Amino acid sequence: MAAPVTPAARAEDSEAALNAALADVPELARLLEVDPYLKPYAVDFQRRYKQFSQILNSIGENEGGIDKFSRGYESFGVHRCADGGLYCKEWAPGAEGVFLTGDFNGWNPFSYPYKKLDYGKWELYIPPKQNKSVLVPHGSKLKVVITSKSGETLYRISPWAKYVVREGANVNYDWLHWDPEHSYEFKHSRPKKPRSLRIYESHVGISSHEGKVASYKHFTCNVLPRIKDLGYNCIQLMAIMEHAYYASFGYQITSFFAASSRYGTPEELKELVDTAHSMGIIVLLDVVHSHASKNSADGLNMFDGTDSCYFHSGPRGTHDLWDSRLFAYSSWEVLRFLLSNIRWWLEEYRFDGFRFDGVTSMLYHHHGMGQGFSGDYSEYFGLQVDEDALTYLMLANHLVHMLCPDSITIAEDVSGMPALCAPISQGGGGFDYRLAMAIPDKWIQLLKEFKDEDWNMGDIVYTLTNRRYLEKCIAYAESHDQALVGDKTVAFWLMDAEMYTNMSVLTPFTPVIDRGIQLHKMIRLITHGLGGEGYLNFMGNEFGHPEWLDFPRKGNNESYHYARRQFHLTDDDLLRYKFLNNFDRDMNRLEERYGWLSAPQAYVSEKHEGNKIIAFERAGLLFIFNFHPSKSYTDYRVGTALPGTFKIVLDSDAAEYGGHQRLDHSTDFFSEAFEHNGRPYSLLVYIPSRVALILQNVDLPN
């Protein structure tokens, strides 16, 4: 019988394991210094980092490095050769035979067979015509024909297809060979990485006020100038990767290398990105590598006639809630496909980074379903974590930052996994930012469940500041999720039906509209100022768009009425939407000037429950919020770190923002050496009800 392990021996083993982990992970010591509570999980970080390193080294040994490995699109798919011939390559490990057919050969399914290679790859070379004319003209239709082991003949779109379209009343998409004589030539270099990130979350198709699918051209000409004027320096483009079902909001991808044709051509998307760059705006792609559409006729599913290929076979390969397929991230060719896809969007379209969708689903075998995520560290380690998927994300972040050091990656993770936004060298995931997904939930909860006088100031501050040290967050009051049918935007929770009848400046304020306009501004500013190291807004929500978002579908008789954004409402001087638009613009422009998003986290000096006052300092500015629905305060003492003369630089009560003009902006506020709320100096300020203020110490250099 073995002797029992003594506590001393157990401690010695634990210390040895920690030292081994510190030896294997270059900067793990820094991560554990920042968060000592992660020490018991050092071996998990060690295992993850070693798996990442082993795969990266294996790619180097077998493929000549990740730079070469991530260029899969240069050989896979269909390519015109210099001699006028055609080179074609596919990965179809479950296929019995592979053929190319299309307009070019009169749709003969078997006249051009691929040759079988090792590891499930197939290739085909078609020599040029004798007159050297193009064998497969630009815009002609193609299909890959798969003969399965069960004897079926399947017509498929290549997973590497660069352009697919749906014509007329067709149910499925067609693959068009994209090989234009003149490709778009980029005129502008990428802007430098912004000091502070102010993101305008956008969807091209809904960017018009008309009931139709808007185009890349429309967005370039009409929406980009608005984004620039509003002071955003980053656009996050949704629903660009081709998706057969418009109402999926772009989250059921069918062709990963194809820019959605419903908005226009690939060249027009390139022009959109290039034009944004000319304005100093960077562009992020909403990349969906967490799952794929179940479509087989025009998607990846069953490409080679089996339920595996790019996905896990059996139940593990299906997401029960999303009814979609799940990638096998441990597969060599799946890694090639996904990493090449990342590189394609960076290099072909010059995107400046990515917002990775569905990261929580990727990170865990349970996909986050039925999980509360209390914050207990044991939830983030162990067998529930899909470390193959996590390793893929580390590889993707490594590649992105290797190719474009100024690129930005954002994780949509609701779980709060520690170190997801820590450097890979520390054993982290390598993301630059994560979305602060608890913030919009808190605002909706307050608006739905509590009277204004019952709002808890401490609870608001806790939600806005509860984030991991040195892991940057994108704060937002609402995103596209809240705009969708079945939910309500902040503006709609505040003003509801009165938005349709009482937004004219020719009519007096009603209590509902007055409350709605004032709180809409306050919620946005406190989220912007306190909630993170970046800020995000979904298009139209900045001015309180009066309708929800609902894509054409059977349930609404295929209507486009709610699949639009009515930007023209802000241009109407007789409507109050302009006030919210003005405030959003000036809030962003003030951040550009002072850079609070890139400054250290705020010092909160007051969160007074009775008075409903929140006060904090960040980037040398003093932010003051009075959430009380009726009480104004004369000579209210607010603490500050430094002596000086303070002036108002932003006032939500100003006339141009639909306020009541209760403050004199020429007033100087003098701080005195009077300690208050833990600050050595303080000043007396008049704070009207439902007002947000930013004061600047004018004695300090800007």
Side-chain angles (χ1 to χ4, degrees):
M1 184 176 174
V5 179
T6 65
R10 192 177 292 114
E12 193 173 311
D13 288 347
S14 178
E15 190 67 26
L18 174 61
N19 289 333
L22 289 168
D24 284 338
V25 185
E27 296 176 19
L28 179 60
R30 173 63 177 144
L31 179 68
L32 302 184
E33 178 190 336
V34 169
D35 186 353
Y37 292 104
L38 288 173
K39 276 186 180 178
Y41 306 100
V43 291
D44 293 87
F45 289 109
Q46 177 190 30
R47 185 178 60 255
R48 294 171 182 180
Y49 183 81
K50 285 179 79 172
Q51 184 171 333
F52 160 78
S53 298
Q54 285 164 3
I55 293 176
L56 196 60
N57 291 336
S58 186
I59 289 171
E61 291 165 9
N62 296 287
E63 300 280 353
I66 196 169
D67 180 65
K68 189 175 176 184
F69 186 62
S70 59
R71 296 175 183 269
Y73 52 82
E74 293 181 356
S75 57
F76 285 85
V78 174
H79 301 273
R80 176 164 49 89
C81 303
D83 65 2
L86 212 64
Y87 179 75
C88 314
K89 191 175 182 182
E90 297 295 345
W91 178 62
E96 191 66 32
V98 179
F99 308 84
L100 187 71
T101 189
D103 292 337
F104 78 102
N105 72 340
W107 291 96
N108 182 327
F110 304 121
S111 61
Y112 286 101
Y114 286 61
K115 183 176 80 174
K116 190 171 187 178
L117 307 174
D118 292 335
Y119 309 114
K121 296 172 192 170
W122 302 76
E123 72 173 2
L124 165 66
Y125 173 72
I126 306 175
K129 292 181 180 179
Q130 292 207 341
N131 64 3
K132 301 291 184 184
S133 64
V134 177
L135 193 69
V136 177
H138 168 64
S140 61
K141 292 179 184 176
L142 293 171
K143 279 282 172 73
V144 173
V145 179
I146 304 283
T147 54
S148 71
K149 287 186 165 57
S150 61
E152 290 179 283
T153 300
L154 308 168
Y155 286 79
R156 296 287 189 250
I157 291 175
S158 170
W160 305 83
K162 298 177 177 68
Y163 190 61
V164 296
V165 297
R166 177 186 282 152
E167 295 184 339
N170 289 357
V171 174
N172 296 319
Y173 273 70
D174 288 312
W175 169 22
L176 268 57
H177 183 54
W178 192 259
D179 188 19
E181 187 178 350
H182 301 291
S183 294
Y184 182 83
E185 291 187 14
F186 286 89
K187 303 174 185 66
H188 306 282
S189 58
R190 299 174 188 268
K192 289 184 178 178
K193 187 177 184 176
R195 176 183 65 159
S196 300
L197 203 57
R198 301 182 300 275
I199 304 171
Y200 199 77
E201 188 183 32
S202 304
H203 186 291
V204 170
I206 65 167
S207 63
S208 166
H209 70 274
E210 299 177 68
K212 65 176 186 180
V213 178
S215 67
Y216 295 125
K217 282 277 189 187
H218 170 86
F219 192 94
T220 302
C221 297
N222 297 287
V223 184
L224 283 182
R226 290 183 182 274
I227 296 170
K228 174 68 175 172
D229 180 65
L230 282 166
Y232 291 92
N233 57 14
C234 175
I235 299 166
Q236 179 186 305
L237 277 184
M238 309 172 62
I240 293 299
M241 301 165 75
E242 190 60 272
H243 48 292
Y245 185 42
Y246 189 43
S248 75
F249 219 146
Y251 292 121
Q252 295 270 343
I253 305 301
T254 43
S255 290
F256 283 74
F257 286 83
S260 183
S261 61
R262 56 172 55 87
Y263 319 127
T265 68
E267 312 315 304
E268 289 165 347
L269 174 58
K270 292 172 188 176
E271 182 186 30
L272 187 163
V273 175
D274 198 26
T275 306
H277 286 170
S278 76
M279 297 176 172
I281 298 171
I282 65 169
V283 188
L284 306 182
L285 177 72
D286 202 349
V287 70
V288 186
H289 283 180
S290 47
H291 64 131
S293 168
K294 266 191 171 177
N295 290 19
S296 55
D298 54 7
L300 282 188
N301 191 26
M302 305 286 289
F303 174 68
D304 64 355
T306 71
D307 78 332
S308 52
C309 198
Y310 288 93
F311 309 107
H312 290 293
S313 184
R316 190 182 174 192
T318 302
H319 195 294
D320 293 334
L321 197 63
W322 296 342
D323 193 33
S324 54
R325 298 305 313 274
L326 297 172
F327 287 104
Y329 299 104
S330 59
S331 164
W332 193 260
E333 292 303 325
V334 170
L335 286 178
R336 185 198 308 277
F337 179 79
L338 294 176
L339 291 171
S340 297
N341 191 235
I342 290 288
R343 185 176 194 138
W344 170 255
W345 293 106
L346 280 177
E347 300 209 333
E348 182 71 13
Y349 290 93
R350 297 209 185 169
F351 280 95
D352 302 289
F354 303 93
R355 179 263 205 187
F356 280 76
D357 173 68
V359 168
T360 307
S361 175
M362 298 173 72
L363 290 174
Y364 306 97
H365 292 294
H366 53 61
H367 307 301
M369 292 187 287
Q371 304 296 313
F373 292 112
S374 65
D376 189 298
Y377 277 9
S378 63
E379 296 172 328
Y380 307 116
F381 303 95
L383 294 177
Q384 67 266 38
V385 177
D386 187 339
E387 294 196 345
D388 292 332
L390 179 54
T391 301
Y392 162 66
L393 290 171
M394 294 167 75
L395 288 165
N397 277 307
H398 171 77
L399 176 67
V400 167
H401 294 108
M402 181 191 84
L403 294 174
C404 303
D406 274 356
S407 288
I408 290 168
T409 59
I410 302 170
E412 188 217 20
D413 170 42
V414 73
S415 76
M417 177 177 271
L420 189 63
C421 298
I424 294 169
S425 57
Q426 295 180 11
F431 284 97
D432 295 299
Y433 296 87
R434 61 164 24 110
L435 292 178
M437 299 181 75
I439 295 175
D441 291 344
K442 175 54 63 180
W443 290 124
I444 297 300
Q445 181 197 28
L446 288 171
L447 293 170
K448 277 175 73 172
E449 300 175 14
F450 294 89
K451 296 177 181 176
D452 295 3
E453 54 268 30
D454 295 332
W455 285 17
N456 185 300
M457 300 296 104
D459 193 27
I460 291 171
V461 168
Y462 175 79
T463 303
L464 289 168
T465 57
N466 180 29
R467 53 191 186 269
R468 295 185 56 77
Y469 179 57
L470 296 182
E471 293 193 45
K472 294 187 285 189
C473 285
I474 304 292
Y476 58 108
E478 53 187 338
S479 69
H480 69 271
D481 289 323
Q482 288 72 40
L484 283 169
V485 65
D487 205 340
K488 288 183 180 181
T489 62
V490 167
F492 229 92
W493 278 113
L494 287 165
M495 296 178 277
D496 217 309
E498 285 204 24
M499 296 184 77
Y500 294 110
T501 55
N502 296 326
M503 288 296 274
S504 169
V505 298
L506 301 178
T507 60
F509 262 138
T510 65
V512 168
I513 296 296
D514 187 14
R515 169 183 178 264
I517 284 181
Q518 310 319 326
L519 285 179
H520 192 275
K521 294 177 290 187
M522 295 181 71
I523 287 169
R524 280 176 145 61
L525 181 58
I526 197 170
T527 301
H528 206 308
L530 194 57
E533 290 71 38
Y535 178 76
L536 178 144
N537 167 69
F538 178 65
M539 62 189 308
N541 287 357
E542 69 277 4
F543 65 84
H545 196 280
E547 291 172 347
W548 56 89
L549 188 57
D550 191 12
F551 287 88
R553 54 190 172 85
K554 284 182 181 177
N556 65 13
N557 294 318
E558 304 295 338
S559 171
Y560 284 84
H561 181 74
Y562 294 109
R564 59 188 183 134
R565 297 278 94 177
Q566 300 183 64
F567 289 111
H568 62 286
L569 295 175
T570 65
D571 301 330
D572 191 333
D573 264 346
L574 297 179
L575 294 178
R576 292 186 166 110
Y577 296 104
K578 65 179 181 181
F579 297 139
L580 300 179
N581 198 72
N582 292 344
F583 185 78
D584 199 74
R585 177 198 65 214
D586 291 352
M587 173 177 70
N588 283 322
R589 289 181 179 179
L590 197 65
E591 198 289 325
E592 173 67 23
R593 183 176 167 191
Y594 291 101
W596 61 71
L597 288 169
S598 57
Q601 196 159 325
Y603 182 91
V604 181
S605 62
E606 182 160 353
K607 39 190 176 180
H608 197 292
E609 299 303 339
N611 295 339
K612 301 298 176 196
I613 297 284
I614 294 172
F616 61 87
E617 292 162 282
R618 193 175 186 187
L621 298 173
L622 177 58
F623 293 73
I624 306 169
F625 295 81
N626 179 4
F627 280 98
H628 202 287
S630 58
K631 280 188 181 177
S632 299
Y633 303 99
T634 305
D635 290 341
Y636 195 92
R637 188 168 294 279
V638 180
T640 183
L642 297 169
T645 305
F646 288 76
K647 291 190 83 72
I648 295 170
V649 289
L650 188 66
D651 168 19
S652 69
D653 204 39
E656 60 267 34
Y657 310 138
H660 298 286
Q661 308 171 65
R662 289 168 288 180
L663 286 153
D664 181 356
H665 291 189
S666 65
T667 303
D668 291 333
F669 302 92
F670 302 98
S671 68
E672 52 187 326
F674 189 99
E675 191 276 337
H676 184 69
N677 285 340
R679 305 309 264 167
Y681 298 87
S682 60
L683 58 154
L684 299 174
V685 187
Y686 170 47
I687 315 173
S689 59
R690 284 199 184 122
V691 159
L693 299 174
I694 300 180
L695 276 66
Q696 177 208 359
N697 187 334
V698 296
D699 294 342
L700 297 176
N702 282 348

Coordinates of all heavy atoms in Angstrom, one line a residue, residues 368-400:
G368 N -21.0 27.6 -23.7 CA -21.6 28.6 -22.9 C -23.1 28.4 -22.7 O -23.7 29.2 -21.9
M369 N -23.7 27.4 -23.2 CA -25.1 27.1 -23.1 C -25.4 26.7 -21.6 O -24.8 25.7 -21.1 CB -25.6 26.1 -24.1 CG -25.6 26.6 -25.5 SD -26.3 25.5 -26.7 CE -25.1 24.2 -26.8
G370 N -26.4 27.3 -21.0 CA -26.8 27.0 -19.7 C -25.8 27.3 -18.6 O -25.9 26.8 -17.5
Q371 N -24.8 28.2 -18.9 CA -23.8 28.6 -18.0 C -24.0 30.0 -17.5 O -24.3 30.9 -18.3 CB -22.4 28.5 -18.6 CG -22.1 27.1 -19.2 CD -22.0 26.0 -18.2 OE1 -21.4 26.2 -17.2 NE2 -22.7 24.9 -18.5
G372 N -23.9 30.2 -16.2 CA -24.0 31.5 -15.6 C -22.7 32.3 -15.5 O -22.7 33.5 -15.5
F373 N -21.6 31.6 -15.5 CA -20.3 32.2 -15.3 C -20.2 33.2 -14.2 O -20.3 34.4 -14.3 CB -19.8 32.9 -16.6 CG -19.6 31.9 -17.8 CD1 -20.4 31.9 -18.9 CD2 -18.5 31.0 -17.7 CE1 -20.2 31.0 -19.9 CE2 -18.3 30.1 -18.8 CZ -19.1 30.1 -19.9
S374 N -20.1 32.6 -13.0 CA -20.1 33.4 -11.7 C -18.8 34.1 -11.6 O -18.7 35.1 -10.8 CB -20.3 32.4 -10.6 OG -19.2 31.5 -10.4
G375 N -17.7 33.7 -12.3 CA -16.4 34.4 -12.1 C -15.5 33.5 -11.4 O -14.3 33.8 -11.2
D376 N -15.9 32.4 -10.8 CA -15.1 31.4 -10.2 C -14.0 30.9 -11.2 O -14.4 30.4 -12.3 CB -15.9 30.3 -9.6 CG -15.0 29.3 -8.7 OD1 -14.1 28.8 -9.2 OD2 -15.4 29.2 -7.5
Y377 N -12.8 31.0 -10.9 CA -11.7 30.6 -11.8 C -11.8 29.2 -12.3 O -11.3 28.9 -13.4 CB -10.3 30.9 -11.2 CG -9.9 32.4 -11.4 CD1 -10.8 33.4 -11.8 CD2 -8.6 32.8 -11.1 CE1 -10.5 34.7 -12.0 CE2 -8.2 34.1 -11.2 CZ -9.2 35.1 -11.7 OH -8.8 36.4 -11.8
S378 N -12.4 28.3 -11.5 CA -12.4 26.9 -11.9 C -13.3 26.7 -13.2 O -13.2 25.7 -13.9 CB -13.0 26.1 -10.8 OG -14.4 26.5 -10.5
E379 N -14.1 27.7 -13.5 CA -15.0 27.7 -14.7 C -14.2 27.8 -16.0 O -14.7 27.5 -17.0 CB -16.1 28.8 -14.6 CG -17.1 28.6 -13.5 CD -18.0 29.8 -13.3 OE1 -17.6 30.9 -13.6 OE2 -19.1 29.6 -12.9
Y380 N -13.0 28.4 -15.9 CA -12.2 28.7 -17.1 C -11.1 27.8 -17.4 O -10.3 28.0 -18.3 CB -11.7 30.1 -16.9 CG -12.7 31.2 -16.5 CD1 -12.6 31.8 -15.3 CD2 -13.7 31.5 -17.4 CE1 -13.6 32.8 -14.9 CE2 -14.7 32.4 -17.0 CZ -14.6 33.1 -15.8 OH -15.5 34.0 -15.5
F381 N -11.0 26.7 -16.6 CA -9.9 25.8 -16.7 C -10.5 24.4 -16.6 O -11.5 24.2 -16.1 CB -8.8 26.0 -15.7 CG -8.2 27.4 -15.8 CD1 -8.7 28.4 -14.9 CD2 -7.2 27.8 -16.7 CE1 -8.2 29.7 -15.0 CE2 -6.7 29.0 -16.7 CZ -7.2 30.0 -15.9
G382 N -9.7 23.4 -17.1 CA -10.2 22.0 -17.0 C -10.8 21.5 -18.2 O -10.7 22.0 -19.3
L383 N -11.5 20.4 -18.1 CA -12.0 19.6 -19.2 C -13.0 20.3 -20.0 O -13.3 20.0 -21.2 CB -12.5 18.2 -18.8 CG -11.4 17.3 -18.2 CD1 -12.1 16.0 -17.7 CD2 -10.3 17.0 -19.2
Q384 N -13.7 21.3 -19.4 CA -14.8 22.0 -20.2 C -14.2 22.9 -21.2 O -15.0 23.4 -22.1 CB -15.7 22.8 -19.2 CG -15.1 23.9 -18.5 CD -14.6 23.6 -17.1 OE1 -14.1 22.5 -16.9 NE2 -14.7 24.4 -16.2
V385 N -13.0 23.2 -21.2 CA -12.3 24.2 -22.1 C -11.9 23.4 -23.4 O -11.3 22.3 -23.3 CB -11.1 24.9 -21.5 CG1 -10.4 25.8 -22.5 CG2 -11.5 25.7 -20.3
D386 N -12.3 23.9 -24.5 CA -11.9 23.3 -25.8 C -10.5 23.9 -26.2 O -10.5 25.0 -26.8 CB -12.9 23.6 -26.9 CG -12.6 22.9 -28.2 OD1 -11.4 22.5 -28.4 OD2 -13.5 22.7 -29.0
E387 N -9.5 23.3 -25.8 CA -8.1 23.9 -25.9 C -7.7 23.9 -27.4 O -6.8 24.6 -27.8 CB -7.1 23.2 -25.0 CG -7.5 23.5 -23.5 CD -6.4 23.2 -22.5 OE1 -5.4 22.5 -22.9 OE2 -6.5 23.7 -21.4
D388 N -8.3 23.0 -28.2 CA -8.0 23.1 -29.7 C -8.5 24.4 -30.2 O -7.8 25.0 -31.0 CB -8.6 21.9 -30.4 CG -8.0 20.6 -30.0 OD1 -6.8 20.5 -29.7 OD2 -8.7 19.5 -30.1
A389 N -9.7 24.8 -29.8 CA -10.2 26.1 -30.3 C -9.4 27.2 -29.8 O -9.2 28.2 -30.5 CB -11.7 26.2 -29.9
L390 N -9.1 27.1 -28.5 CA -8.3 28.2 -27.9 C -6.9 28.3 -28.6 O -6.4 29.5 -28.8 CB -8.1 27.9 -26.4 CG -7.3 29.0 -25.6 CD1 -7.8 30.4 -25.8 CD2 -7.2 28.6 -24.1
T391 N -6.3 27.2 -28.9 CA -5.0 27.2 -29.6 C -5.2 27.9 -31.0 O -4.3 28.7 -31.4 CB -4.5 25.8 -29.8 OG1 -4.3 25.2 -28.5 CG2 -3.1 25.8 -30.5
Y392 N -6.3 27.6 -31.7 CA -6.6 28.2 -33.0 C -6.6 29.7 -32.8 O -6.0 30.5 -33.6 CB -7.8 27.7 -33.6 CG -8.3 28.7 -34.7 CD1 -7.5 28.9 -35.8 CD2 -9.4 29.5 -34.5 CE1 -7.8 29.9 -36.8 CE2 -9.7 30.5 -35.4 CZ -9.0 30.7 -36.6 OH -9.3 31.7 -37.5
L393 N -7.3 30.2 -31.8 CA -7.4 31.7 -31.5 C -6.1 32.3 -31.3 O -5.8 33.4 -31.7 CB -8.4 31.9 -30.4 CG -9.9 31.6 -30.7 CD1 -10.7 31.7 -29.4 CD2 -10.5 32.6 -31.7
M394 N -5.2 31.6 -30.5 CA -3.9 32.1 -30.3 C -3.1 32.1 -31.6 O -2.4 33.1 -31.8 CB -3.2 31.1 -29.3 CG -3.8 31.2 -27.9 SD -3.2 29.8 -26.8 CE -1.6 30.4 -26.4
L395 N -3.2 31.1 -32.4 CA -2.6 31.1 -33.7 C -3.1 32.3 -34.6 O -2.3 32.9 -35.3 CB -2.8 29.8 -34.4 CG -2.0 28.6 -33.9 CD1 -2.6 27.3 -34.4 CD2 -0.5 28.7 -34.2
A396 N -4.4 32.5 -34.6 CA -5.0 33.6 -35.4 C -4.5 34.9 -34.9 O -4.1 35.8 -35.7 CB -6.5 33.5 -35.3
N397 N -4.4 35.2 -33.6 CA -3.9 36.4 -33.1 C -2.4 36.6 -33.4 O -2.0 37.7 -33.7 CB -4.2 36.5 -31.6 CG -5.6 37.0 -31.2 OD1 -6.0 38.0 -31.7 ND2 -6.3 36.2 -30.4
H398 N -1.7 35.5 -33.3 CA -0.2 35.5 -33.6 C -0.1 35.9 -35.1 O 0.8 36.8 -35.4 CB 0.4 34.2 -33.4 CG 1.8 34.0 -33.9 ND1 2.9 34.6 -33.2 CD2 2.3 33.4 -35.0 CE1 4.0 34.3 -33.9 NE2 3.6 33.6 -35.0
L399 N -0.9 35.3 -36.0 CA -0.8 35.6 -37.4 C -1.1 37.1 -37.7 O -0.4 37.8 -38.4 CB -1.6 34.7 -38.2 CG -1.7 34.9 -39.7 CD1 -0.4 34.6 -40.4 CD2 -2.8 34.1 -40.3
V400 N -2.3 37.5 -37.2 CA -2.7 38.9 -37.4 C -1.7 39.9 -37.0 O -1.4 40.8 -37.8 CB -4.1 39.2 -36.6 CG1 -4.4 40.7 -36.6 CG2 -5.2 38.4 -37.2

